[in-house]
Amino acid sequence: MNSEKVSIIIPVYNVEKYLAECLNSAISQDHGNIEIIAINDGSTDASLSILEEFQAKHDNMIVRSIRNQGLSVARNTGLEIATGDYILFLDSDDFIEKHTASTCLKHFRQHQTDIVFFSPNVFFDGVSEDVGRKFKSESITDLQNESCPAHLFFTKSINLKKYQVSACLYIYKKNKLGNIKFHPKTLYEDCLFTTRLLLENNNVKVTCIPDKLYNRRVRPESIMTQKKQEKHVLGYLIVAEELLKLKLTKEKSETGKALNHFIQVMLSNASTTYRIVYNHKLSHHIRKRLIILYSKTRPTLRTLKNIAPYIFPELLEIINLLKAFTVNKSTGGSKF
């Protein structure tokens, strides 16, 4: 069974502290046919030296250096090089279990599936658990050991509020899904890539397994924990705009409804992040853009009630003032 090759794609940028652990986890896989592709994305620390040292010792490791262009371009470069039957992404500050590839391949054969989804083990490195709690991930227990069409997997995951967007938690067949690439120079690229992976092909099957195969490190100054900037806002907006191009957003199906809901979440995140960056203000330009994009998600009257505070955050201030007034009045206090 070792004839089945797994390509592990590792984008690398200034992670000298964590890189050896990551590479060792890929090299130590108990499956015998592994191709490791490490893309050095213009690192300025010792990352390239570490990569070259590993490459000299392991014939199945490929190292390419490119100028710094971000995670998406690095992953796409790896996809262009990959010759494996299966694609697995691994971030260079994380690591995988020794049996990751072999476990997933067993399920590919057993279930005749196209994608295997597995669970992460999230741990904190230099970040307090209070700060990192929002990164804690739960497995989708309702779907464990189930094989189903990718559309249904996406819909159920959204409805259960357990949708995992990380591309590192899905291993997939390259020959069936190899045309999907990451949107370049965009944050939250996994939200777009994984959703497209699950929805663009009607004949794709997903198997969800309970195994915690991926060890995700939550650390200071990573993409997810760094201080929010305008680029984070733009990332959410680009994801929403790209997903709205999918035909499913115009369908009245359960999957279309789930997809539109996910896009609305992206837009709500954009609004919230913008107000964090710009001291609770929402510019006319961003407000207009949000209105246009929200209107394309087929919102219901009930949904509009939930959306309104993200477009007009001033409403929240009015609501809070009214609540304070009501509480004071009921307790016999002064108005304010």
Side-chain angles (χ1 to χ4, degrees):
M1 292 297 181
N2 283 348
S3 60
E4 298 172 299
K5 182 189 285 189
V6 177
S7 294
I8 302 178
I9 298 174
I10 309 174
V12 177
Y13 178 69
N14 289 353
V15 284
E16 60 182 8
K17 183 178 177 181
Y18 316 106
L19 186 53
E21 183 177 30
C22 172
L23 296 176
N24 278 322
S25 76
I27 289 164
S28 301
Q29 290 298 296
D30 59 11
H31 178 67
N33 196 356
I34 297 289
E35 174 183 68
I36 301 166
I37 303 170
I39 307 299
N40 173 43
D41 186 30
S43 295
T44 57
D45 65 357
S47 293
L48 180 56
S49 297
I50 295 170
L51 290 173
E52 291 174 340
E53 181 180 341
F54 271 81
Q55 184 184 31
K57 298 176 182 177
H58 302 281
D59 294 336
N60 63 334
M61 184 168 173
I62 300 168
V63 175
R64 291 285 186 274
S65 287
I66 60 175
R67 64 182 178 85
N68 180 244
Q69 299 176 75
L71 182 63
S72 291
V73 173
R75 283 176 172 173
N76 288 341
T77 302
L79 284 171
E80 292 169 4
I81 297 170
T83 61
D85 304 294
Y86 302 91
I87 300 294
L88 175 64
F89 295 103
L90 172 58
D91 286 346
S92 52
D93 52 354
D94 300 331
F95 62 95
I96 53 177
E97 295 297 321
K98 182 178 181 179
H99 56 282
T100 297
S102 60
T103 298
C104 291
L105 288 174
K106 179 186 72 175
H107 287 281
F108 274 111
R109 293 190 291 268
Q110 180 179 341
H111 299 284
Q112 293 298 299
T113 195
D114 304 297
I115 302 172
V116 172
F117 165 77
F118 45 88
S119 295
N121 171 51
V122 180
F123 67 100
F124 308 106
D125 186 347
V127 176
S128 70
E129 192 157 344
D130 286 339
V131 173
R133 186 172 289 118
K134 65 179 178 179
F135 300 104
K136 270 290 187 185
S137 300
E138 298 179 53
S139 57
I140 307 175
T141 54
D142 301 65
L143 296 174
Q144 283 179 4
N145 297 315
E146 180 177 333
S147 290
C148 61
H151 283 218
L152 181 58
F153 174 83
F154 172 82
T155 304
K156 285 187 175 182
S157 299
I158 291 291
N159 291 340
L160 291 167
K161 298 182 179 179
K162 296 288 183 64
Y163 181 37
Q164 299 284 344
V165 299
S166 173
C168 296
L169 302 181
Y170 299 80
I171 179 171
Y172 64 92
K173 288 182 178 178
K174 187 187 179 189
N175 66 352
K176 196 158 188 179
L177 296 155
N179 293 327
I180 298 176
K181 299 293 188 291
F182 291 88
H183 198 283
K185 299 180 180 180
T186 302
L187 293 182
Y188 309 116
E189 61 282 307
D190 283 10
C191 295
L192 179 56
F193 177 88
T194 301
T195 305
R196 290 182 61 201
L197 191 73
L198 295 173
L199 298 182
E200 283 200 358
N201 190 326
N202 290 327
N203 300 314
V204 170
K205 187 177 176 183
V206 177
T207 296
C208 178
I209 64 175
D211 309 61
K212 291 189 174 184
L213 302 177
Y214 192 90
N215 296 286
R216 182 185 181 195
R217 187 190 313 270
V218 179
R219 61 181 177 88
E221 295 307 310
S222 68
I223 292 174
M224 296 305 295
T225 60
Q226 64 185 214
K227 185 178 180 181
K228 295 298 182 259
Q229 304 171 44
E230 188 168 0
K231 64 182 180 180
H232 294 86
V233 180
L234 295 176
Y236 283 125
L237 291 174
I238 290 171
V239 169
E241 288 170 342
E242 291 298 315
L243 288 179
L244 280 166
K245 295 177 182 178
L246 298 181
K247 292 180 180 178
L248 273 168
T249 59
K250 299 175 178 62
E251 295 183 6
K252 295 182 179 180
S253 63
E254 285 300 307
T255 301
K257 181 180 177 181
L259 176 57
N260 278 313
H261 173 75
F262 181 64
I263 296 170
Q264 289 167 3
V265 171
M266 294 295 99
L267 295 173
S268 299
N269 289 345
S271 172
T272 301
T273 305
Y274 189 93
R275 284 182 282 127
I276 290 172
V277 174
Y278 292 103
N279 194 28
H280 305 292
K281 305 295 183 182
L282 195 62
S283 72
H284 173 74
H285 170 70
I286 290 295
R287 198 191 305 262
K288 180 179 178 181
R289 194 169 175 183
L290 286 172
I291 291 172
I292 292 171
L293 293 175
Y294 269 126
S295 68
K296 295 180 180 180
T297 62
R298 303 172 62 90
T300 62
L301 287 175
R302 183 178 179 181
T303 305
L304 285 171
K305 182 180 178 181
N306 296 326
I307 290 173
Y310 294 100
I311 302 176
F312 303 102
E314 299 86 357
L315 290 173
L316 287 176
E317 296 180 19
I318 296 172
I319 291 170
N320 289 333
L321 283 171
L322 289 172
K323 286 181 178 178
F325 175 79
T326 303
V327 169
N328 276 285
K329 187 175 181 180
S330 64
T331 57
S334 59
K335 289 184 179 180
F336 294 101

